[in-house]
Amino acid sequence: MNLLSIAPILVFAATIFLVFKHPIVRIPFTRRHIHIDYGLAPLLGVLVLLVVGSINLDTISRGIFGSDMVTPYAIIILIITLSYICVSLDYTGLFEYVSLHFARASKGYGRRLFIYFFLLSSLLTLVTDNDIVILTMTPIIFYYSQRARVNPVPYLIAQFFAANILSMTLYIGNPANIIAADSVGVTFLEFSKWMLIPSVVAMITCLAFLVLVFWKNLPVKTEMPDVDPKLAIKNKWGAIFGTVLFITTIVLMSIPTSILRMPLWVLTSISAGIMVLFDILYYHFVGPNMAGHRSSISIIGSRMPWKTIPFVLGLFIIVEDLVSKGWTDFLASQFTPFTGNLFASVVGFMFLTSFAASFMNNHPMTIFFVRIFQSSSFNGSAVARMGSTLALIAGANFGANLTLVGALAGIMWVSILSEKGIQISFSQFSKYGVLVMPFVIFSAGLALALELMLWT
């Protein structure tokens, strides 16, 4: 095995390491420093592979425009356009308004609120995505726990776990879902057909075990913060318009593309364009105190996950090099013997991909395993290939609850908490994940395997 064969696997590992560590390093021979974060690390990996001659422009082209049904540029457009609609909705204060209503509905009963926050996170994840829910609800839970003088950790764990479990229900719940679903041509409705029941089973299992873990530590009665939820709404018309637009977009996405006659990324681009136009008109010309609202568009723009673009594209290019050097074919041939038993392969791959995501992050893990399952050396039946891919989708979402580096949301979440003086260590978080998630993974895997046995 020569250096060029080893280079992509070394660069892939180094890229994941840099994403986790996101170091600030000094540029040689200067006093300037650069932050190597998740947006820059994959691009540096691509640059290294170019310098050593492991990749060429053809590899980069395939990494951007795709092959074998996976089109990275379309996935990126889907992620960014849907993110804009969700971020714009969040900026109106709608999600905070709903959350405060749920807190009021608990009437100060700490254990009831624990369940309410779990269910609310689950519900909001179904209509947005897990990142938006985590970024929106974390400050609300912090605010509530501070005013009510209770330990925020159980409520934060419940919120985080719920968001990452229910994010596997819909095609748009997590970028990893889109990547994996596109690889086997699963449509919007087909996705939910397969993933709804396992998601519900996983949600119930997770809630039951979280209750067992935290119940004795939850206060029976707490002080209720006296806050009017209506004060959370900053833009009533934007909340109404954005909600109608989002629901319309979801309904249209559920229509088969043969009837819709346009790719999903075109549809979401049109919807996002309409939302952008509304925001410009409202915040610059219509809304009250227009001078104070002129920065609203820039604030919404600053909250967008722009770094997802170089992150995902860079990883696709690196994985494309792994494909060309035979690494995915090699692993595919190793996995093939396990596809003979549907139950064992589904549950096994769900555990494998969950734990793989927990230490290598769910996005690179998903891209890597998609290419393994697409390999001609992966000789399982069509049902086994579908089952493996659906198990991969679940694992990409579940892995985020095993370690804080399982998803970018975990890294952002712990950063937000640190800024607010709440310290949740990696070991503390993983302790809860190890206690709860194996039961969640097994129950969801069992449900998915039974679906595949009955419906195929």
Side-chain angles (χ1 to χ4, degrees):
M1 185 174 286
N2 59 37
L3 178 61
L4 291 184
S5 297
I6 298 173
I9 200 75
L10 293 177
V11 168
F12 187 64
T15 300
I16 294 168
F17 176 78
L18 289 174
V19 168
F20 292 160
K21 300 297 289 186
H22 50 88
I24 298 175
V25 298
R26 186 169 67 86
I27 301 174
F29 310 112
T30 70
R31 293 184 177 181
R32 300 184 64 183
H33 292 75
I34 186 168
H35 185 196
I36 304 178
D37 59 8
Y38 74 93
L40 182 58
L43 295 184
L44 290 177
V46 172
L47 181 61
V48 169
L49 291 175
L50 269 173
V51 169
V52 301
S54 182
I55 63 173
N56 52 32
L57 292 179
D58 182 56
T59 309
I60 294 174
S61 176
R62 291 198 309 273
I64 295 173
F65 296 103
S67 57
D68 300 326
M69 297 183 72
V70 178
T71 50
Y73 74 91
I75 291 167
I76 289 295
I77 294 171
L78 267 170
I79 294 169
I80 293 299
T81 51
L82 287 170
S83 291
Y84 184 87
I85 299 172
C86 292
V87 171
S88 180
L89 261 177
D90 182 31
Y91 186 72
T92 67
L94 176 65
F95 302 146
E96 185 178 354
Y97 170 81
V98 174
S99 300
L100 290 172
H101 264 295
F102 264 71
R104 272 195 166 188
S106 72
K107 298 181 180 178
Y109 290 98
R111 292 172 174 174
R112 182 189 297 178
L113 184 62
F114 178 82
I115 295 172
Y116 281 6
F117 273 140
F118 183 94
L119 295 177
L120 176 61
S121 297
S122 302
L123 174 65
L124 290 180
T125 302
L126 289 177
V127 297
T128 57
D129 67 29
N130 55 347
D131 291 351
I132 295 291
V133 172
I134 288 165
L135 294 175
T136 301
M137 287 198 59
T138 298
I140 293 169
I141 293 174
F142 167 77
Y143 168 80
Y144 169 83
S145 61
Q146 191 177 48
R147 291 292 185 93
R149 298 175 183 176
V150 297
N151 179 12
V153 172
Y155 300 99
L156 290 167
I157 294 292
Q159 165 234 350
F160 192 90
F161 277 32
N164 285 312
I165 287 174
L166 268 294
S167 59
M168 77 175 194
T169 310
L170 294 182
Y171 174 85
I172 61 170
N174 189 328
N177 299 358
I178 300 171
I179 294 168
D182 281 6
S183 72
V184 288
V186 172
T187 64
F188 188 95
L189 276 182
E190 285 177 322
F191 186 98
S192 292
K193 167 198 165 184
W194 290 115
M195 301 309 293
L196 177 60
I197 292 175
S199 297
V200 172
V201 169
M203 180 188 74
I204 294 171
T205 306
C206 184
L207 179 57
F209 277 90
L210 285 176
V211 165
L212 287 175
V213 170
F214 288 118
W215 197 252
K216 291 182 179 179
N217 298 323
L218 295 171
V220 177
K221 190 76 174 176
T222 68
E223 297 179 26
M224 275 297 296
D226 185 23
V227 179
D228 184 357
K230 292 180 181 178
L231 297 176
I233 296 292
K234 294 182 288 187
N235 178 359
K236 176 183 175 181
W237 294 111
I240 295 171
F241 182 85
T243 300
V244 172
L245 178 65
F246 186 78
I247 292 172
T248 303
T249 303
I250 296 299
V251 171
L252 291 174
M253 289 181 75
S254 68
I255 298 173
T257 52
S258 58
I259 298 174
L260 193 63
R261 295 190 176 182
M262 69 172 69
L264 292 184
W265 65 268
V266 174
L267 169 63
T268 58
S269 297
I270 294 170
S271 297
I274 293 171
M275 194 75 238
V276 169
L277 182 60
F278 176 90
D279 287 342
I280 291 172
L281 291 174
Y282 181 86
Y283 291 117
H284 283 249
F285 303 109
V286 179
N289 190 19
M290 288 179 291
H293 283 73
R294 291 190 185 278
S295 62
S296 297
I297 299 295
S298 60
I299 293 173
I300 293 172
S302 69
R303 295 180 181 178
M304 288 284 291
W306 298 117
K307 291 180 182 179
T308 300
I309 299 174
F311 177 71
V312 172
L313 288 182
L315 286 170
F316 264 115
I317 293 168
I318 295 171
V319 170
E320 192 64 38
D321 195 27
L322 287 168
V323 173
S324 68
K325 299 301 188 296
W327 283 100
T328 52
D329 286 342
F330 168 75
L331 289 172
S333 65
Q334 303 304 305
F335 290 149
T336 296
F338 300 100
T339 62
N341 184 300
L342 185 61
F343 173 79
S345 64
V346 168
V347 176
F349 278 125
M350 198 174 291
F351 270 100
L352 175 62
T353 53
S354 295
F355 283 100
S358 73
F359 71 84
M360 66 185 286
N361 192 270
N362 58 358
H363 289 101
M365 184 281 297
T366 301
I367 295 168
F368 190 48
F369 272 83
V370 158
R371 299 300 277 156
I372 290 172
F373 295 154
Q374 286 182 322
S375 169
S376 58
S377 299
F378 189 73
N379 293 320
S381 65
V383 176
R385 193 179 294 268
M386 174 65 80
S388 301
T389 303
L390 295 174
L392 164 62
I393 291 167
N397 290 275
F398 292 160
N401 289 345
L402 287 168
T403 69
L404 284 170
V405 296
L408 293 174
I411 299 170
M412 293 187 293
W413 183 68
V414 78
S415 176
I416 294 170
L417 294 180
S418 180
E419 290 173 2
K420 296 185 179 299
I422 299 174
Q423 301 299 325
I424 296 181
S425 68
F426 278 47
S427 59
Q428 182 186 10
F429 180 88
S430 294
K431 178 184 72 175
Y432 298 125
V434 170
L435 283 172
V436 173
M437 290 310 297
F439 299 99
V440 174
I441 296 167
F442 181 79
S443 63
L446 178 61
L448 180 57
L450 288 173
E451 280 186 340
L452 288 162
M453 290 175 182
L454 293 172
W455 295 348
T456 57

